[in-house]
Amino acid sequence: MQLTEKINALQTPCYLYNLTLLRKTLQKVTEEAGRYPAFHVHYAIKANANPVLLKVIREYGLGADCVSGNEIKRAVECGFPGNAIVYAGVGKSDEEIRTALQEDIFCFNCESLPEIRIINELAAQVNKKAHIALRINPNVDAHTHHYITTGIEENKFGIYLCDLDQVLAELPSLPHVKLTGLHFHIGSQITDMTVFRSLCLKANEIQQYLKNRGIVLPHINFGGGLGIDYNNPHAEPIADFASYFSTFARHFDPTSPNQQVHFELGRSVVAHCGDLLSRVLYVKEGKNKKFVILDAGMNDLLRPALYQAFHKIENISSRLPEEKYDVVGPICESSDCFGKDVTLTQTTRGDLIVIHSAGAYGETMASRYNLRNLPGYYFEGM
Ligand code: LLP
């Protein structure tokens, strides 16, 4: 990012979203998924729910993947029709289920039998038949950070394969739900395509098992998870959608020629389109190191503190020789640190620091810890 007068005038800390890059990314997503007519992409709103971004995403025809009643409402407000919305979550409240029923969403991705019974009951009250998919925990290891791995047996997510028969046996007694699909989501920030191949092979086995019992489902949903290159945001600003979709096209066997294949991509759509912009408050000389203390903290961008996540950090104000710094926030927590031994051009108070690739799970995970203000946001390429 270039330091311009406009950027210099922004109030920090703030997110700066690049809508031109977002459009290019969406162009690529729709082009690569569009090679396979049965493929449909839902954008996972939890990654970034900013209405301006959502409206652009909808322009490209993506559906929405929601995990709360408020996300469903936000999606509808931003132009996503109910029939393009999928809704997942291990703990859907009655009120959230009612919201989803009211919007006639495409599908509830269900994670347990008790949940399916409640959806049946609430759908009966409004005389509707809810379409459901069973979220299966396929026990496929995503080999990513353990906090964002969701498809192995020790996780709370999905229905275990050993419980599948019990669920199938009960469905005929629940007349207000209709089983239309299977759903998976095994984790996030996955860059190794062999993980997705393993998921396809597992899905093929499960579909064959169901077919042997006379069950052929109209759709399957593989969730999200495609990772991005946090190390090289400039060199690789668009995720490898071509490899991702072609992996599914190659390894997944639909049980019928018109079985539809859905995806729920979050991070890969928006991560590189947002940077966190922050100003240096102080440079503090420690015993053996120098600390750059920013006006942004872990409440603005939680990923480094929570997942030890790497984000590339750059000083756009200085062209002096490079030095090493620990880049930290102002909050009284040792984990309030954006990077240790970061190489930056020589830094002084007032310099503008860019924390790259913060468009996904940045603004949505911000909090008011310490009663700090929520970060602001600005757009480039409106
Ligand atoms: N579908 C479901 C059911 C999910 O749980 C998620 C993300 C997605 C789709 C989108 O996954 P993506 O394409 O973004 O990988 N806060 C963490 C990531 C948590 C992801 C949770 N589920 C982070 O900052 O790395």
Side-chain angles (χ1 to χ4, degrees):
M1 184 189 294
Q2 293 268 320
L3 179 58
T4 59
E5 232 171 82
K6 205 174 127 205
I7 287 179
N8 212 11
L10 300 181
Q11 193 180 342
T12 57
C14 65
Y15 281 93
L16 187 56
Y17 294 117
N18 179 342
L19 299 182
T20 310
L21 179 57
L22 178 62
R23 289 198 169 91
K24 278 190 191 150
T25 308
L26 289 162
Q27 184 66 44
K28 190 75 182 160
V29 175
T30 45
E31 184 185 315
E32 294 301 336
R35 295 184 198 283
Y36 314 102
F39 284 16
H40 307 272
V41 182
H42 300 257
Y43 165 65
I45 290 191
K46 60 158 76 81
N48 193 316
N50 191 299
V52 172
L53 270 61
L54 289 182
K55 284 177 193 154
V56 174
I57 291 167
R58 179 59 199 156
E59 276 172 29
Y60 286 78
L62 275 67
D65 163 41
C66 301
V67 287
S68 72
N70 285 345
E71 282 192 357
I72 295 173
K73 288 179 192 163
R74 174 71 59 89
V76 170
E77 277 159 24
C78 292
F80 292 84
N83 65 10
I85 294 177
V86 291
Y87 173 31
V90 284
K92 302 175 181 79
S93 72
D94 294 18
E95 193 187 334
E96 291 177 311
I97 293 170
R98 285 198 185 96
T99 300
L101 286 168
Q102 195 179 331
E103 297 301 339
D104 293 317
I105 64 165
F106 172 70
C107 193
F108 290 78
N109 293 329
C110 297
E111 309 223 7
S112 69
L113 196 44
E115 176 198 327
I116 297 170
R117 291 182 189 131
I118 294 298
I119 294 175
N120 180 66
E121 201 178 302
L122 298 177
Q125 287 172 11
V126 288
N127 206 16
K128 287 189 174 175
K129 197 163 181 130
H131 286 191
I132 65 164
L134 302 179
R135 176 169 179 179
I136 306 289
N137 184 326
N139 202 22
V140 172
D141 194 344
H143 300 296
T144 180
H145 189 279
H146 60 285
Y147 279 12
I148 51 175
T149 292
T150 45
I152 54 175
E153 271 170 5
E154 64 197 59
N155 299 132
K156 66 181 172 184
F157 302 100
I159 294 165
Y160 301 125
L161 281 172
C162 56
D163 296 332
L164 187 56
D165 283 342
Q166 194 200 345
V167 176
L168 294 175
E170 189 164 329
L171 284 180
S173 67
L174 303 171
H176 288 275
V177 295
K178 181 175 183 199
L179 179 63
T180 61
L182 289 181
H183 176 235
F184 302 90
H185 173 77
I186 55 170
S188 199
Q189 185 50 22
I190 300 166
T191 47
D192 174 1
M193 294 301 139
T194 63
V195 170
F196 293 119
R197 192 190 64 172
S198 303
L199 174 60
C200 290
L201 301 182
K202 205 53 178 258
N204 293 345
E205 265 176 46
I206 298 167
Q207 292 226 106
Q208 191 55 50
Y209 177 87
L210 292 175
K211 198 170 187 178
N212 293 343
R213 276 153 191 76
I215 301 171
V216 173
L217 296 170
H219 88 270
I220 189 154
N221 181 335
F222 285 109
L226 176 62
I228 61 141
D229 188 348
Y230 281 98
N231 294 301
N232 299 299
H234 299 300
E236 300 290 343
I238 296 184
D240 190 359
F241 296 110
S243 301
Y244 177 74
F245 291 118
S246 68
T247 300
F248 289 93
R250 245 181 301 144
H251 300 290
F252 170 63
D253 299 329
T255 29
S256 71
N258 48 12
Q259 186 173 36
Q260 303 298 299
V261 184
H262 294 245
F263 300 91
E264 303 168 345
L265 294 175
R267 184 191 314 270
S268 52
V269 179
V270 289
H272 283 315
C273 306
D275 291 330
L276 178 63
L277 204 61
S278 173
R279 237 178 215 100
V280 177
L281 292 175
Y282 306 103
V283 179
K284 179 170 157 178
E285 305 254 353
K287 240 201 158 94
N288 307 314
K289 43 171 78 190
K290 290 183 179 174
F291 294 96
V292 167
I293 303 172
L294 300 181
D295 64 1
M298 63 194 276
N299 72 299
D300 300 300
L301 175 65
L302 185 59
R303 304 193 69 257
L306 189 59
Y307 315 114
Q308 296 79 46
F310 174 86
H311 286 260
K312 192 177 161 81
I313 305 176
E314 193 186 359
N315 181 337
I316 55 168
S317 301
S318 159
R319 293 185 177 199
L320 296 169
E322 292 179 335
E323 282 195 43
K324 285 208 166 164
Y325 302 91
D326 280 12
V327 180
V328 302
I331 292 172
C332 181
E333 301 255 2
S334 301
S335 58
D336 186 25
C337 175
F338 293 110
K340 288 194 191 306
D341 287 323
V342 180
T343 303
L344 295 177
T345 44
Q346 213 177 78
T347 298
T348 49
R349 175 175 165 83
D351 285 355
L352 269 180
I353 303 291
V354 178
I355 303 180
H356 289 279
S357 316
Y361 307 109
E363 198 191 325
T364 46
M365 292 178 81
S367 78
R368 290 212 53 206
Y369 186 40
N370 289 187
L371 284 189
R372 285 167 54 80
N373 292 328
L374 285 174
Y377 51 85
Y378 300 93
F379 304 96
E380 287 177 305
M382 278 292 249

